[in-house]
Amino acid sequence: MPQRRAITGRSQEPRARFAEELRLLRNARGVSLRGVAEVVGWDASQFGKMENGHTLGGPEIVEALDQYYGTGGMLLTLWELAVADPTQFREQYRRYMILEAEAISLWHYAVSAPPGLLQTAGYAREALAVGWLKGPELEQQVEARLGRRQLLDGDAPPPFRVILSEAVLRTSLRDVGAWREQLAHLAEMAERPSITLQVLPFRAGPHGLMNTAVKFLRLPNGRVVAYTENDLRGELVEENTSVELLQRRYDAMRDLALSPAESREFILRTLEEAPCEPSI
């Protein structure tokens, strides 16, 4: 099949198209970045980063721009497509991200770091920087990771069950304030009715997923797929026998974990024990 011709000549990549439309609208209005900022109320540098494709911004700022330009929700639609676009993720995750967006329920086991769906901006930035990302690429990956959290928002989010190894709560960030924010966020998310969060304490001993972070997705057709990962690579597991083996190990480990109520108390105690930022 021949490649579809771009009628408008504009970018077909959602993130680039969003930035392009912002530039075109402002130029058509004949105003500067500073002029937009004076009316809409955000810093001019934020609009500059959005027009350069360095950041997508948040829904509030995009809604304000929709009103300013009179685009009737078009910018918010383009923003939603850009946030959900799997091409913004590194290649090995793209197939999983597409399936994650379709999932009707999710189960995760985290070995040493909170799942991306539960990470704060501070945690994501420090964790991704350890992988030698920096500059615009780092900011794009942080934003992409935070954009995934929309999956858990809304009126009818998919049920999400997550088991955190105690190591997740013992491996703190260098930024003390960001670490406390992350712990508080975990405790807050544990209260959501659609989220079941459990902690697997060290005292539970050896289990079948000691060195493997795993995610399960139940798709609309009832099929379950898994994604396993370590620091070097991730693997999408779709073969039924392998997925079932991983599920049995997950279920056995869940039996060893603290109850959701006990787990939230465990997180809150960890937050109380976490050092505070030094006073100046």
Side-chain angles (χ1 to χ4, degrees), residues 1-267:
M1 179 180 295
Q3 186 175 3
R4 191 180 70 145
R5 184 168 65 91
I7 303 299
T8 64
R10 300 178 187 174
S11 175
Q12 302 299 293
E13 192 272 313
R15 190 181 184 98
R17 181 62 173 269
F18 176 67
E20 187 177 15
E21 291 295 340
L22 290 176
R23 294 193 301 270
L24 290 170
L25 286 167
R26 184 174 59 80
N27 290 333
R29 182 67 66 94
V31 294
S32 65
L33 291 170
R34 187 184 296 262
V36 175
E38 289 175 353
V39 176
V40 179
W42 273 265
D43 190 86
S45 64
Q46 174 75 3
F47 296 117
K49 291 177 182 177
M50 292 171 69
E51 290 189 11
N52 290 328
H54 293 162
T55 182
L56 292 174
E60 297 85 1
I61 190 172
V62 178
E63 287 177 336
L65 288 170
D66 253 330
Q67 292 181 4
Y68 175 68
Y69 290 121
T71 42
M74 180 196 74
L75 287 177
L76 188 60
T77 298
L78 291 175
W79 178 84
E80 289 174 339
L81 291 172
V83 168
D85 179 26
T87 62
Q88 67 186 308
F89 296 101
R90 305 176 88 180
E91 181 63 36
Q92 65 266 35
Y93 300 115
R94 290 180 185 174
R95 167 73 174 152
Y96 172 81
M97 295 304 169
I98 292 171
L99 295 176
E100 183 183 75
E102 301 173 357
I104 59 175
S105 61
L106 309 91
W107 308 269
H108 286 194
Y109 168 59
V111 174
S112 58
L117 289 172
L118 298 180
Q119 289 183 12
T120 60
Y123 191 100
R125 182 169 290 104
E126 188 167 318
L128 289 167
V130 171
W132 295 285
L133 292 178
K134 59 183 179 180
E137 184 181 7
L138 172 61
E139 293 307 313
Q140 179 177 341
Q141 290 300 313
V142 169
E143 193 167 279
R145 183 166 293 186
L146 296 181
R148 291 172 57 203
R149 301 194 310 185
Q150 292 185 81
L151 187 69
L152 303 179
D153 296 329
D155 296 331
F160 179 42
R161 176 181 291 276
V162 56
I163 301 174
L164 305 178
S165 167
E166 185 176 339
V168 173
L169 305 176
R170 301 301 183 191
T171 308
S172 62
L173 297 174
R174 297 182 182 90
D175 185 329
V176 173
W179 177 236
R180 292 183 60 85
E181 181 183 14
Q182 176 64 69
L183 290 174
H185 182 66
L186 289 174
E188 178 183 348
M189 296 299 281
E191 291 189 294
R192 291 195 179 187
S194 61
I195 296 177
T196 302
L197 188 152
Q198 292 178 264
V199 173
L200 183 69
F202 289 144
R203 65 174 182 269
H207 56 83
L209 293 172
M210 291 181 64
N211 302 307
T212 304
V214 64
K215 307 170 185 178
F216 299 97
L217 305 175
R218 183 176 296 280
L219 303 176
N221 61 7
R223 185 167 65 100
V224 176
V225 300
Y227 187 84
T228 61
E229 62 183 337
N230 56 35
D231 288 338
L232 296 179
R233 65 189 299 266
E235 179 183 4
L236 186 65
V237 182
E238 300 187 70
E239 195 270 320
N240 290 340
T241 301
S242 298
V243 172
E244 185 178 349
L245 174 60
L246 288 168
Q247 281 188 296
R248 287 204 300 267
R249 294 187 178 191
Y250 183 91
D251 289 342
M253 182 180 59
R254 184 176 60 188
D255 293 339
L256 300 173
L258 301 177
S259 71
E262 292 170 332
S263 296
R264 186 170 184 276
E265 287 301 317
F266 192 104
I267 294 170

